[in-house]
Amino acid sequence: MNNLEFFSPDKPFIIGMVHCLPLPGTPNYAGDMEAVIKQAVDDAITLEKAGVDAVIVENMGDDPFGEELELAQSTALAAVSALVKQSISIPIGIDAAMNDYKTNISVAQAIGGAFVRIPIFVDTVQYPGCGIMQPCSKDAMRYRKQLGAENVKIFADIQVKHT
C-alpha cells in the first residue's frame, strides 16, 4: 500500500495503538525482549484483523518519559517496529514518547513506516518529569529532509493531552 492511500480527508480512518511493554534501559523493563516483541506483534495482528486502517507503535510502557529516548530504548523500538511491520499488511507509524522526533523519523525511514506522531510540534508545553518542552517543528522538518524521509507523514498534536 502506498503511504498516501491510507489517509484521505474524504474518508475517516482509524489508527490502532500498539503499546510496547517497557523497553530495555527503563525502570520497569522485565529483561525479556521476546515478551515485548510477542505482545507488540500479537496486538498489531489483532488490530489489523479488527479492521483498523493503520497501527502506531509506541513505547508507552517506558513511563516515566524523557523528552528523548535513550539508545537502548531507540534500538529496541526499532527492532520491535520492524517485526510488527513484517507481521501486518497495513501502514505502520512510530511514536517515540515523549517527543523524540529523531527516533520517530529514523525508525520510520529505516523500516518503511508511513508516518510518525510528534506531540510537541508547534506548542511550548510543560510535562511532568520533563519540565518546559519547546516545539520541534523546524528541527523535525529539517531532519526528515536530511534523511530523505519526506515520504514519512508527520501527525502532530496541538496542545497534547498530557501537558
Side-chain angles (χ1 to χ4, degrees), residues 14-127:
I14 297 173
I15 299 174
M17 295 299 298
V18 174
H19 286 153
C20 291
L21 295 171
L23 299 175
T26 62
N28 294 317
Y29 176 58
D32 187 356
M33 266 306 290
E34 290 300 319
V36 175
I37 292 165
K38 180 177 182 350
Q39 179 173 319
V41 167
D42 289 351
D43 287 355
I45 291 169
T46 298
L47 287 164
E48 182 177 35
K49 286 179 182 176
V52 302
D53 299 294
V55 298
I56 188 164
V57 179
E58 181 177 20
N59 62 309
M60 190 65 175
D62 289 353
D63 192 39
F65 297 118
E67 190 166 349
E68 297 176 350
L69 276 60
E70 299 292 332
L71 180 59
Q73 289 172 279
S74 295
T75 304
L77 184 63
V80 170
S81 299
L83 293 168
V84 166
K85 172 103 166 66
Q86 290 176 0
S87 303
I88 58 175
S89 61
I90 56 177
I92 181 174
I94 308 298
D95 183 3
M98 177 65 194
N99 202 51
D100 190 344
Y101 71 86
K102 286 184 176 180
T103 293
N104 277 337
I105 295 168
S106 297
V107 172
Q109 179 70 349
I111 70 163
F115 62 98
V116 297
R117 175 183 175 230
I118 303 178
I120 305 159
F121 197 67
V122 296
D123 300 308
T124 299
V125 301
Q126 183 172 352
Y127 182 75

